[in-house]
Every structure is written in C-alpha cells, then in structure tokens.
Amino acid sequence: GIINKKKESDLADHSIEKYSIKANSSNQEVVLLSGGNQQKLAIAKVLATDPKVVILCEPTRGVDVNGKVEIYTIMNQLLEKKKAVILISSEIPEILGMSDRIMVIYKGRMVYEAKNIDLKQEDIMAYATGGYQNE
C-alpha cells in the first residue's frame, strides 16, 4: 500500500465541498471539527467507496439541528441514487421521519417489521420494550 497523496487530497477537498463540511482546510485534524462535521466526514469516507448499501448507526447523535438536516439531506440524496440506507437510531421521531420500512429489535430479536404506515411513537416504544407480543 502506497498512498497517493494527490488523490487523497483531492478526495478530501471534494468531500469538504460536496458535504458542506466546515473545516479550515483538508489538513485540519478531525478532532477539531464540530460533532456534526465529524459525522458528515465519517459518512463522506464511507460514500467515497460508492457502496450500494449504507448502514448509518446513530448518525445524528450529538449533532445540532443544522447538522441533522444536512445529514438527512445526504441520506435522501443516497436514496435518489437508488442506494439502500439502513438507519439504526434510538431517536423515534428520526426513524418515523426518515424510514419507509421499520424493524424493531427487542432482546436481540426482531419483534416488529412493516412499512411505516400510520405507525406511532408509542407503538415503536411498546415493541422495543417488550410491551407487544409477536403477532
């Protein structure tokens, strides 16, 4: 493995621009970025490989409202490109707002799976806490 520094630099610059990552330069240390920009950078790294399926686990945890909107925009752009996005989140409003299909896991087992049609937060919480039995 030899790293192509020019290609690496070009990819970093492209990612900063494409995903609106607020950084002083592409050489800025990641730990000096805000939480939202760190998340967008992590997503940009994954997307640089042009995957068909993207798994995002708690992508907006600790991110401010503007950062969340930007991450949701990235997710929607992936869907427009016919990519599959698997969102794992403990934020029920986020799940309801961003998902067309929902699975709920309780004690390591899937206890609910269906399209997101008229599903309420209370229903998800009930399944997630063992309140509903498998139907």
Side-chain angles (χ1 to χ4, degrees), residues 5-18:
K5 293 291 185 181
K6 170 83 170 111
K7 189 173 181 179
E8 181 182 56
S9 177
D10 290 347
L11 180 60
D13 292 337
H14 173 75
S15 295
I16 287 171
E17 183 178 333
K18 181 174 183 176

Side-chain angles (χ1 to χ4, degrees), residues 101-117:
R101 184 171 219 66
I102 295 175
M103 294 175 66
V104 180
I105 309 296
Y106 175 68
K107 291 189 175 181
R109 293 196 161 164
M110 183 183 65
V111 295
Y112 177 83
E113 191 261 336
K115 290 188 177 182
N116 181 9
I117 300 172

Side-chain angles (χ1 to χ4, degrees), residues 14-79:
H14 173 75
S15 295
I16 287 171
E17 183 178 333
K18 181 174 183 176
Y19 300 108
S20 302
I21 298 169
K22 291 165 186 65
N24 294 331
S25 76
S26 59
N27 294 320
Q28 184 173 349
E29 290 184 42
V30 175
V31 295
L32 300 177
L33 299 175
S34 70
N37 286 300
Q38 288 181 22
Q39 289 287 68
K40 289 189 291 183
L41 178 61
I43 293 169
K45 286 179 180 181
V46 170
L47 298 181
T49 65
D50 193 28
K52 293 179 181 178
V53 177
V54 179
I55 301 172
L56 299 174
C57 185
E58 302 288 354
T60 62
R61 176 167 286 178
V63 176
D64 67 17
V65 174
N66 291 331
K68 286 183 180 190
V69 169
E70 291 173 337
I71 291 170
Y72 297 151
T73 299
I74 293 168
M75 292 170 64
N76 285 324
Q77 288 170 348
L78 289 170
L79 296 173

